[in-house]
Amino acid sequence: MRAHRVVKPLVGISCCSKQFGFFGMPYDAASNTYVETTDNIVGAVPILIPANGPAADIETLLERLDGIILTGSRSNVHPSYYDGPPHAEGTWEDPARDGTTLPLIRAAVSRGVPVLAICRGFQELNVALGGSLHQRLQDLPDRLDHSSPLVASRELRMAKAHSVRVTLGGWLHRLAGASEIAVNPLHNRGVDRLGPGVVVKAPVPAGTIEAVNVVATPAGAIPGFAIGVQWHPENDWQTDRVSRGIFELFAQAVHVYAEDGRMGGVSAAAD
């Protein structure tokens, strides 16, 4: 008699379009840190979502995925998506990723598929839902420089750089058990105008928004689980309780959606 096999949820991980090797061959790539957290914390099967722009079949993806991780990246959301000024010369862009993730986010949020957005993914989440970005936080008055330090040591690049205030009573406050936490941001961009339905859960004292959750879909309905952080919990989840907790919270939503969401419900919402 065949033993019952537990089928794991599927979690999509957004890729970037990058060039590698001597000949600069194009690849779809994502950091292995997101694969590791999906394997070890979420308890799901990681599925890489290629940056294939208009060829992306959003409906088919969402028919099969039980959650989505929007990854960090050196590239930046193209300013045409939020009516921003042109990027400075030399700015890394990835139009194929933009063409995949932005419609994917809108459809996933409307459908209730759990979304965890990190760094570039955090910015994508806000832009996809109608928000805008500052392109260089370090040029704004009284703002901290959140960009990656140009040092060879990974430990130094990923070290906690500053604190954020946590919105009392929200998901991050309950997770951290504190009103302030230290984070490891690596970014130049930051939220300017919040998208409708996106609310702040952790601002930096100088005014930069570092964590959000979505409380309404583009159509005005209540969404499922959709949160974003501007820092990098995937880089220290083995040593930092809050970083691990972010993925555990996402894991709960993924498993609820996998079990109940496909029967007409949605994942548990964050608040």
Side-chain angles (χ1 to χ4, degrees):
M1 183 175 180
R2 181 178 295 178
H4 176 68
R5 179 173 176 268
V6 177
V7 178
K8 292 181 178 180
L10 302 180
V11 167
I13 298 171
S14 64
C15 287
C16 296
S17 178
K18 294 187 176 182
Q19 294 180 322
F20 293 105
F22 182 79
F23 296 104
M25 295 293 290
Y27 287 81
D28 291 287
S31 169
N32 192 56
T33 52
Y34 302 102
V35 174
E36 289 177 343
T37 53
T38 301
D39 283 333
N40 294 297
I41 306 179
V42 184
V45 176
I47 304 294
L48 298 186
I49 302 174
N52 56 345
D57 188 334
I58 303 301
E59 278 303 307
T60 298
L61 285 170
L62 295 181
E63 282 290 337
R64 288 162 170 78
L65 295 177
D66 301 299
I68 296 169
I69 297 176
L70 300 163
T71 62
S73 174
R74 187 175 179 182
S75 68
N76 300 278
V77 180
H78 196 277
S80 62
Y81 287 104
Y82 55 89
D83 295 327
H87 280 149
E89 186 177 352
T91 300
W92 285 56
E93 297 175 345
D94 191 342
R97 171 165 171 162
D98 293 340
T100 304
T101 55
L102 297 179
L104 178 65
I105 290 166
R106 287 188 286 269
V109 169
S110 294
R111 195 180 185 116
V113 178
V115 174
L116 172 58
I118 294 171
C119 190
R120 188 199 207 270
F122 172 89
Q123 296 162 17
E124 288 171 329
L125 180 68
N126 187 56
V127 171
L129 299 180
S132 65
L133 302 176
H134 292 297
Q135 293 186 8
R136 286 179 55 87
L137 290 173
Q138 60 267 42
D139 293 343
L140 299 177
D142 302 320
R143 295 293 183 98
L144 296 173
D145 186 349
H146 297 244
S147 56
S148 175
L150 299 177
V151 293
S153 168
R154 183 179 186 277
E155 287 73 22
L156 290 177
R157 290 199 312 275
M158 299 302 175
K160 305 296 189 185
H162 64 73
S163 296
V164 299
R165 294 193 302 266
V166 174
T167 301
L168 299 182
W171 66 267
L172 190 53
H173 181 235
R174 292 195 301 275
L175 188 64
S179 59
E180 191 170 296
I181 59 173
V183 298
N184 54 348
L186 301 169
H187 62 101
N188 292 313
R189 302 302 189 266
V191 169
D192 179 10
R193 182 185 69 255
L194 281 168
V198 181
V199 298
V200 180
K201 289 301 172 183
V204 175
T208 301
I209 297 168
E210 292 275 344
V212 298
N213 71 280
V214 180
V215 299
T217 70
I222 297 174
F225 180 96
I227 66 173
V229 294
Q230 183 63 85
W231 66 90
H232 287 271
E234 79 283 3
N235 284 321
D236 62 359
W237 61 271
Q238 292 178 309
T239 57
D240 185 89
R241 180 177 61 84
V242 174
S243 293
R244 185 180 185 92
I246 289 170
F247 285 98
E248 290 174 340
L249 196 63
F250 176 61
Q252 292 172 14
V254 166
H255 285 270
V256 168
Y257 183 82
E259 294 170 10
D260 301 330
R262 299 193 181 283
M263 301 302 293
V266 294
S267 60
D271 61 13

